[in-house]
Amino acid sequence: MIENLVIVESPAKAKTIEKFLGKDYTVQSCFGHIRDLAKKNLGIEIKNNYQPQYIVSDDKKKVVSELKKYATDSRIVWLASDEDREGEAIAWHLCEVLKLKPENTRRIVFHEITENAIRQAIREPRGINKNLVNAQQARRVLDRLVGFELSPILWKKIQPALSAGRVQSVAVRLLVEREREIISFKASSAYRVVALFLFTDEAGEKKSLKAELSERFPTREETLDFLGKCIRANYKIIGISTRPSTKSPAPPFTTSTLQQEASRKLGFSVSQTMSVAQRLYESGKITYMRTDSVNLSNLALGTVKKVIEQEYGDKYVKIRKFKTKSKGAQEAHEAIRPTFIANKDIQGNVQEKRLYDLIWKRTVASQMSDAQIEKTTVTIEISTADENFLATGEVITFDGFLKVYFESRDEEGEENGRAMLPPVQLQQELTCDSITATEKFTPPPLRYTEATLVKKLEELGIGRPSTYAPTISTIQNRGYVVKEDRPGITRELHLITLKDEKIREEEKTEYAGREKGKLFPNNIGIIVNDFLIEHFEDIINYHFTAKIEKEFDEIAVGKLVWTAMIDAFYSSFHKKVETTLESSEKEKGERYLGEDPVTGKKVFVKMGRYGPIAQLGDSQEEEKPKFASLIKGQLIENITLEEALELFKLPRIIGTFEGKELVIGLGKFGPYVRHEGKFYSLKKGIDDPLTIEADRAIELIGEKREADQKRIIKTFAEDPDLLVLRGRYGPYISFQKKNYKIPRKMDPEKLGYSDCKEIIERHDKSGKSKN
DNA sequence: CAGTGAGCGAGCTTCCGCTTGACTT
């Protein structure tokens, strides 16, 4: 007989709590939700007032049967799932599935894993809040209805295996709309004018001062006109103003802000951050990593205070209570912080150490004093012009939290105004060494990274800490978006300088717009997005989640019946589903580009069975149209007639090598060179399939042959098809287009022909028995 | 890994939010 059984969601949490509670308590974990809607036929009985059909999935059966054993053996069962909508539902499902009796079941909640908080919770048990459970059921059922009714429409009207949902479809919409802003963006330029002044200070030392003109000139003529006025002008300081200001630290990490900072500072992907954080959590080094709360426990605040006092001194301490700003936050946990703040560093791999360091610094800095900053602006008058030059400098008079941590930004701003200014006086005369006017282009809107997309979703109240990373993966897995680097463009910019009373003009080339690790929408993402917006704008709407969240809140306080809410939504939604299925045509995203000037045939771009294609000639006419695949990265959205016509120039024969033809073509995996039946990929961003020449193609073939050679560990005279190769996961055997794992005990260098044959045979046999 | 693009049809795909393993040929 067990006296007390406590059930929590996470096994790591169970371990910690068991330590606090002692031997009268057995603590088990249920690993999150233990059952979910059946996958067949929606899992909801629509005609039976939306009765959910819950089933325990296969991978949860083991956990459930173990918990059942424990529960029947226990005097009191304490349900300690999180204090939020999902946690309440988990507690309710546990009651139902484990058949718990109310008289020996208690529901308890705590927001922080400290002994006090848990003892306190046990002193204040309550029952299950059925209203809150109903709010969760409404959330669950609505998401299933939306996801499982919209997705099949896409299979029918666009392409199989696509998906749509309340969260993912909005994420894609954000990316598509941003891409359109970038496509339609027209850069304008203006001249930024910077002067370099020289003077001698009181000690006789030569000093310099850089200052920027208070305005930028939109044209070359105006810039020239201004610089002309500056020849033989006199310069005098007519103003020095200093303005004190303060900077405050950012709040402790939530899931979303941790993902953002790990991306900016450490270059981690969103899922990488989560898996490293998971390891830190499981080894007891940090608190729970899926949270939307910026709150720190009083215990933690006390330790942070001590650490700051010891490391930096009393005047660096400023204890703060942060309030969450994000919509729909449920705050079931603390903010993400080190479990033991006194530990400045930890054991672990490089990634773990770096992420821990980031969390430590952010936590500590959040409880430190404001930084005091003095901003100085020096105004310099030009005797021959109305404009002024301004020199700005910044001096940190008290570093405060900046001693530990500085939050990064997403924009790549110009390094400006950060430097200290040399000491100068009012009315001081300056000598102008030179003035440089540089043409500056306005930057286009920023593309999203994984992390900035998470930030945006959080601002909109869409998605939860546990789903940010999976959502980002889903929209990439469906092919809606791709995360990649893309090269920028080089462009000419105009430079005008005034030095030694002479004005000189020159052209400079600038490399701009290179993208690294950004999210780009694909054609299929754009087509799905446009289709959903045309037929279901109200759901793909940025405010849809906020709207239904309000209704869930009403359900949670008992003011609204959950099935009534679902019925109001579903009856109009389902009507739209039916009319869309009946009326709308198959959507191929076709766009007409114009006529081919050579043949006079019409040119279209659209989605084909295997991807986006260009079509030359109308399908109505007698002659069959020609087709050509679009190159990766080309969008139906903005491809030009000229670019489309180029595509029909492939495949091209560009010469011969070793007596065989070199053919450039475009395949499933991008542009290639074909030679003797073998394929060699062109280098992305370097080679253009339409202009590549034989020399370069031969070079590529050589590189590939060399790389293949390096992969070979062993070959056998008995059979040229059998190879021992070095691969991503270590050495393996390749035979007749199939790969085989080498047992760990065996040395790949010493494998003989018969050894390999044996491995292959053994594998093939076991493979057969499995199928 | 790599050329395709007519049309039909069976059977498959899919949501969001809680949790952790399993484990690469």
Side-chain angles (χ1 to χ4, degrees):
Chain A
M1 190 72 184
I2 299 166
E3 195 60 22
N4 296 285
L5 172 67
V6 182
I7 302 177
V8 295
E9 294 182 38
S10 143
K13 198 167 166 179
K15 237 169 48 189
T16 317
I17 292 174
E18 195 147 46
K19 264 186 250 158
F20 292 143
L21 289 175
K23 62 174 169 43
D24 290 343
Y25 291 82
T26 297
V27 188
Q28 289 294 314
S29 94
C30 66
F31 296 84
H33 277 294
I34 53 160
R35 59 176 189 175
D36 190 18
L37 297 174
K39 291 216 174 197
K40 274 184 199 158
N41 312 324
L42 282 182
I44 300 158
E45 288 176 23
I46 304 281
K47 289 195 180 118
N48 187 13
N49 203 20
Y50 305 95
Q51 182 64 43
Q53 300 298 301
Y54 292 115
I55 53 167
V56 177
S57 67
D58 287 342
D59 55 333
K60 292 281 174 175
K61 286 206 167 113
K62 203 177 147 205
V63 181
V64 168
S65 74
E66 299 225 329
L67 286 176
K68 253 185 200 161
K69 261 187 251 160
Y70 277 110
T72 46
D73 250 15
S74 302
R75 204 172 62 80
I76 294 185
V77 179
W78 303 81
L79 301 174
S81 46
D82 298 344
E83 188 186 28
D84 58 17
R85 205 160 62 200
E86 299 297 326
E88 201 68 15
I90 288 174
W92 176 73
H93 283 298
L94 282 167
C95 283
E96 298 275 304
V97 176
L98 306 180
K99 303 196 174 63
L100 303 178
K101 295 189 195 88
E103 58 270 25
N104 46 17
T105 304
R106 311 272 187 279
R107 166 80 170 121
I108 54 168
V109 294
F110 38 85
H111 296 118
E112 42 186 68
I113 318 289
T114 56
E115 188 166 352
N116 269 343
I118 292 154
R119 297 250 175 238
Q120 181 67 21
I122 286 185
R123 281 195 293 274
E124 298 170 347
R126 57 170 177 82
I128 284 178
N129 179 346
K130 197 60 203 293
N131 287 331
L132 196 53
V133 173
N134 286 338
Q136 193 274 345
Q137 297 203 89
R139 199 281 303 157
R140 181 68 193 92
V141 166
L142 183 133
D143 280 335
R144 170 55 68 83
L145 290 170
V146 170
F148 274 37
E149 296 219 347
L150 287 186
S151 301
I153 303 180
L154 301 180
W155 306 341
K156 204 170 161 205
K157 300 295 181 187
I158 300 176
Q159 186 175 111
L162 296 174
S163 67
R166 176 176 58 83
V167 174
Q168 57 169 284
S169 297
V170 177
V172 175
R173 178 178 188 175
L174 284 164
L175 293 169
V176 171
E177 290 190 344
R178 177 61 53 87
E179 196 64 24
R180 290 198 162 126
E181 282 172 41
I182 293 169
I183 288 171
S184 62
F185 176 79
K186 298 260 184 299
S188 61
S189 73
Y191 288 82
R192 175 174 183 252
V193 185
V194 177
L196 179 66
F197 295 105
L198 300 175
F199 65 96
T200 313
D201 70 4
E202 288 163 342
E205 268 186 62
K206 285 195 169 150
K207 297 275 178 184
S208 66
L209 180 68
K210 257 191 181 177
E212 184 180 341
L213 197 69
S214 49
E215 66 176 280
R216 292 184 179 194
F217 300 112
T219 63
R220 170 177 166 266
E221 287 68 31
E222 282 166 273
T223 313
L224 283 172
D225 188 43
F226 169 78
L227 288 178
K229 281 194 271 181
C230 288
I231 300 175
R232 275 179 254 178
N234 294 316
Y235 303 91
K236 192 168 73 184
I237 294 175
I238 55 160
I240 302 175
S241 71
T242 54
R243 189 164 52 84
S245 72
T246 60
K247 259 200 186 93
S248 302
F253 278 133
T254 60
T255 303
S256 136
T257 53
L258 177 68
Q259 288 170 347
Q260 289 160 42
E261 277 288 271
S263 161
R264 290 183 289 230
K265 284 203 157 89
L266 312 178
F268 286 6
S269 74
V270 161
S271 65
Q272 193 184 1
T273 298
M274 292 314 281
S275 77
V276 175
Q278 176 88 29
R279 288 203 297 276
L280 291 172
Y281 167 67
E282 283 173 6
S283 55
K285 296 188 182 79
I286 60 168
T287 56
Y288 196 56
M289 66 285 157
R290 289 187 273 264
T291 176
D292 51 22
S293 170
V294 287
N295 199 44
L296 295 176
S297 71
N298 287 325
L299 190 73
L301 288 176
T303 343
V304 175
K305 188 167 178 249
K306 255 185 254 162
V307 169
I308 300 170
E309 282 167 357
Q310 266 169 24
E311 296 254 339
Y312 312 105
D314 291 359
K315 63 177 180 173
Y316 281 92
V317 176
K318 183 175 178 187
I319 298 300
R320 306 159 193 262
K321 281 273 179 188
F322 291 93
K323 283 227 172 71
T324 180
K325 271 185 253 163
S326 62
K327 264 188 225 165
Q330 308 199 6
E331 309 205 59
H333 305 93
E334 270 190 80
I336 304 170
R337 62 159 172 95
T339 322
F340 306 106
I341 295 154
N343 295 348
K344 201 168 176 180
D345 25 49
I346 52 150
Q347 298 288 310
N349 66 28
V350 181
Q351 294 181 335
E352 288 163 13
K353 283 184 170 172
R354 293 178 80 199
L355 193 68
Y356 182 86
D357 184 58
L358 196 65
I359 295 169
W360 188 88
K361 285 178 173 162
R362 176 89 164 210
T363 309
V364 170
S366 78
Q367 304 304 324
M368 290 176 73
S369 321
D370 289 347
Q372 307 291 332
I373 291 155
E374 232 174 55
K375 279 184 181 156
T376 304
T377 307
V378 174
T379 311
I380 300 153
E381 180 193 62
I382 310 161
S383 61
T384 54
D386 296 333
E387 296 87 354
N388 291 323
F389 278 107
L390 300 176
T392 55
E394 215 177 76
V395 180
I396 296 171
T397 51
F398 175 64
D399 54 0
F401 77 94
L402 290 177
K403 205 174 193 73
V404 175
Y405 185 89
F406 186 72
E407 189 179 31
S408 311
R409 323 180 107 255
D410 295 315
E411 308 82 33
E412 297 131 29
E414 282 162 26
E415 288 288 317
N416 207 359
R418 288 236 165 272
M420 263 178 61
L421 293 178
V424 287
Q425 269 120 43
L426 212 57
Q427 301 302 322
Q428 187 175 340
E429 308 246 339
L430 302 170
T431 320
C432 180
D433 173 76
S434 60
I435 301 177
T436 311
T438 317
E439 193 180 8
K440 291 276 173 193
F441 290 92
T442 48
L446 281 178
R447 279 202 179 78
Y448 286 104
T449 63
E450 290 187 347
T452 58
L453 182 60
V454 167
K455 181 182 180 183
K456 184 70 187 173
L457 288 172
E458 189 192 31
E459 280 168 13
L460 293 168
I462 299 172
R464 304 277 314 129
S466 68
T467 60
Y468 295 137
T471 300
I472 299 288
S473 303
T474 299
I475 61 175
Q476 293 178 62
N477 292 340
R478 298 275 172 277
Y480 293 152
V481 306
V482 60
K483 174 180 153 181
E484 62 186 12
D485 303 342
R486 289 197 190 168
I489 47 150
T490 50
R491 62 184 169 198
E492 297 271 291
L493 53 83
H494 204 62
L495 202 71
I496 313 173
T497 48
L498 168 64
K499 192 170 164 79
D500 303 330
E501 299 182 5
K502 273 185 223 108
I503 291 175
R504 268 186 48 208
E505 294 188 63
E506 59 185 314
E507 295 293 329
K508 227 175 93 180
T509 54
E510 167 188 64
Y511 183 63
R514 189 176 78 107
E515 297 281 29
K516 223 176 163 286
K518 294 290 175 66
L519 295 171
F520 296 84
N522 286 330
N523 285 294
I524 190 67
I526 295 175
I527 290 171
V528 167
N529 176 66
D530 291 356
F531 180 87
L532 290 173
I533 286 183
E534 189 185 337
H535 301 282
F536 299 96
E537 202 284 329
D538 47 348
I539 286 168
I540 309 311
N541 194 292
Y542 296 131
H543 307 297
F544 177 67
T545 294
K547 194 189 103 193
I548 57 166
E549 279 291 342
K550 267 194 195 143
E551 300 182 4
F552 295 152
D553 287 346
E554 286 183 30
I555 296 169
V557 294
K559 282 191 195 157
L560 184 61
V561 178
W562 81 267
T563 48
M565 181 249 162
I566 291 294
D567 189 54
F569 164 77
Y570 186 72
S571 44
S572 82
F573 169 68
H574 188 67
K575 232 174 265 161
K576 264 184 223 157
V577 168
E578 300 216 302
T579 54
T580 307
L581 277 170
E582 283 160 21
S583 64
S584 72
E585 292 297 301
K586 193 148 183 169
E587 184 57 66
K588 290 181 178 151
E590 184 172 284
R591 198 174 135 234
Y592 173 62
L593 297 185
E595 277 178 13
D596 174 12
V598 180
T599 59
K601 285 182 178 166
K602 287 180 175 169
V603 180
F604 304 90
V605 275
K606 64 178 183 184
M607 223 40 200
R609 264 200 294 173
Y610 309 104
I613 46 170
Q615 177 182 331
L616 182 63
D618 212 312
S619 10
Q620 314 296 329
E621 282 162 28
E622 283 169 30
E623 201 184 343
K624 236 180 89 174
K626 274 169 121 182
F627 296 97
S629 290
L630 264 56
I631 297 174
K632 232 174 103 189
Q634 280 183 331
L635 293 180
I636 291 175
E637 179 94 9
N638 66 341
I639 188 171
T640 61
L641 177 63
E642 290 70 30
E643 286 166 343
L645 289 168
E646 288 288 295
L647 298 171
F648 292 100
K649 295 183 181 163
L650 292 176
R652 319 159 34 217
I653 299 164
I654 56 167
T656 56
F657 174 52
E658 296 174 348
K660 298 277 159 62
E661 271 180 354
L662 287 165
V663 183
I664 305 295
L666 200 55
K668 200 170 158 192
F669 306 102
Y672 61 81
V673 189
R674 196 176 66 215
H675 177 251
E676 270 206 278
K678 282 191 177 154
F679 293 86
Y680 306 86
S681 290
L682 301 199
K683 289 265 157 56
K684 194 166 64 177
I686 297 172
D687 298 313
D688 181 349
L690 299 172
T691 56
I692 190 168
E693 289 173 23
D695 288 352
R696 172 65 183 156
I698 292 164
E699 196 179 313
L700 285 170
I701 292 171
E703 278 173 21
K704 180 81 192 319
R705 283 179 180 174
E706 202 176 310
D708 283 348
Q709 208 59 45
K710 278 189 186 153
R711 281 173 54 218
I712 297 175
I713 299 173
K714 286 199 92 165
T715 55
F716 300 98
E718 292 92 329
D719 189 344
D721 274 356
L722 183 66
L723 298 166
V724 182
L725 299 172
R726 220 181 301 280
R728 239 193 321 161
Y729 309 111
Y732 66 98
I733 296 166
S734 164
F735 180 62
Q736 291 177 347
K737 295 205 172 181
K738 278 175 86 178
N739 299 325
Y740 302 87
K741 193 165 70 172
I742 298 170
R744 215 162 269 166
K745 281 168 269 170
M746 295 173 128
D747 184 351
E749 305 276 353
K750 291 180 185 148
L751 284 175
Y753 179 70
S754 55
D755 297 331
C756 293
K757 276 295 202 190
E758 207 176 294
I759 291 170
I760 291 166
E761 254 171 54
R762 214 177 323 141
H763 182 275
D764 281 355
K765 260 187 208 160
S766 69
K768 261 170 215 160
S769 64
K770 256 185 223 166
N771 294 331

